[in-house]
Amino acid sequence: QTPWLWNTRQCWNGYPYQPLMPDLHYYYIVELSFYWSLMFSQFIDVKRKDFGIMFTHHIVAVTLITFSYVTNLTRVGTLILCLHDAADIVLEAAKMANYCKCQKLSDLLFLTFAIVFIVSRLGIYPLWILNTTLFELYEALGNFPALWVFNVLLMVLQILHCLWSYLIIKAAYKAISKGKVAKDSRSDVESSSDEEETVPRSKAPHSTIASNGTSGANGTNGYLTGGTCSEEH
């Protein structure tokens, strides 16, 4: 319902004297709360292979949300949030299907997520978001300090997108070649999972790898699992 969704130049009309509508305000509050919760939960969760990338992403995300809110860059900020949420919805659905042991559905959703992620983060994001913040913003308002801070953070985000896309493509390739998604290389693999897989099961009865990064008899996300749980789950 907003004009800047279809015409990004509308993000800069009347800036900085743009009223903050209640729906955008609450959208920002919910997103900022979500990323702050991830900032803390990553330290008590299982350490994963992409912990450094994820930690950097959370810092950049919180900084971007706060900075754009303070400087009233909320119009383009909502576009960025919406674009990032699109792929995450499919990823969480794939995880839920995996927890329910619907392997084929999980594989299909993961491949769908890979396509949505790559198209949105490597296609739409640079051509739509970076184009308006780097060029249209400069044409409309000229040079000012907040412009460079904002764009540097957005470029860091794009670098993280490229790193994640590499991991996702690897996982998607394994899904196609082997017929299943054994692990989520993006964020749900334990840092020591490769080494644990080489240990004989008889000598390591508690090293069962779960697809959401947890291991042992406690199951995944609070669900108890039996002792015969296979590695693909």
Side-chain angles (χ1 to χ4, degrees):
Q1 299 177 356
T2 59
W4 57 86
L5 177 63
W6 314 105
N7 181 9
T8 52
R9 292 185 181 273
Q10 292 290 330
C11 292
W12 322 118
N13 286 351
Y15 181 83
Y17 305 106
Q18 297 171 341
L20 179 62
M21 294 180 291
D23 52 350
L24 299 188
H25 168 74
Y26 290 119
Y27 187 28
Y28 255 72
I29 293 300
V30 170
E31 291 283 353
L32 183 60
S33 302
F34 171 69
Y35 281 107
W36 267 117
S37 68
L38 294 180
M39 179 78 77
F40 292 108
S41 65
Q42 64 183 342
F43 294 105
I44 59 176
D45 201 354
V46 176
K47 189 175 182 180
R48 298 162 179 144
K49 284 186 176 180
D50 67 343
F51 177 83
I53 302 176
M54 189 69 74
F55 179 69
T56 304
H57 174 267
H58 295 339
I59 293 178
V60 173
V62 170
T63 305
L64 270 172
I65 295 174
T66 305
F67 182 80
S68 61
Y69 187 90
V70 170
T71 57
N72 205 28
L73 293 168
T74 53
R75 291 187 177 184
V76 71
T78 55
L79 297 183
I80 299 171
L81 293 171
C82 184
L83 183 65
H84 282 71
D85 289 342
D88 290 341
I89 293 173
V90 187
L91 175 64
E92 299 305 326
K95 292 179 180 179
M96 292 171 64
N98 189 49
Y99 300 156
C100 295
K101 300 183 180 180
C102 301
Q103 190 63 46
K104 292 183 178 179
L105 177 60
S106 177
D107 294 346
L108 178 61
L109 288 171
F110 180 80
L111 293 177
T112 303
F113 157 74
I115 295 173
V116 174
F117 186 94
I118 293 173
V119 170
S120 61
R121 307 292 178 92
L122 300 186
I124 299 177
Y125 180 81
L127 298 177
W128 190 38
I129 300 298
L130 294 182
N131 176 67
T132 190
T133 58
L134 288 171
F135 303 108
E136 294 178 353
L137 174 56
Y138 184 82
E139 293 175 3
L141 302 174
N143 189 15
F144 59 100
L147 181 149
W148 296 105
V149 176
F150 194 55
N151 279 303
V152 167
L153 292 173
L154 292 177
M155 292 300 295
V156 171
L157 204 57
Q158 179 61 13
I159 295 174
L160 297 178
H161 292 164
C162 294
L163 295 175
W164 266 320
S165 296
Y166 169 73
L167 297 176
I168 290 171
I169 291 173
K170 285 180 60 178
Y173 174 77
K174 292 180 180 179
I176 296 173
S177 61
K178 298 181 180 180
K180 63 181 180 179
V181 179
K183 297 187 286 289
D184 175 6
S185 295
R186 175 172 178 256
S187 62
D188 280 358
V189 183
E190 291 185 13
S191 59
S192 58
S193 60
D194 292 336
E195 292 78 4
E196 289 179 350
E197 287 177 348
T198 61
V199 179
R201 185 169 299 274
S202 60
K203 296 181 180 180
H206 300 293
S207 64
T208 300
I209 309 293
S211 61
N212 72 328
T214 58
S215 60
N218 291 331
T220 61
N221 284 359
Y223 293 94
L224 297 177
T225 58
T228 60
C229 179
S230 61
E231 285 189 3
E232 68 181 33
H233 298 306

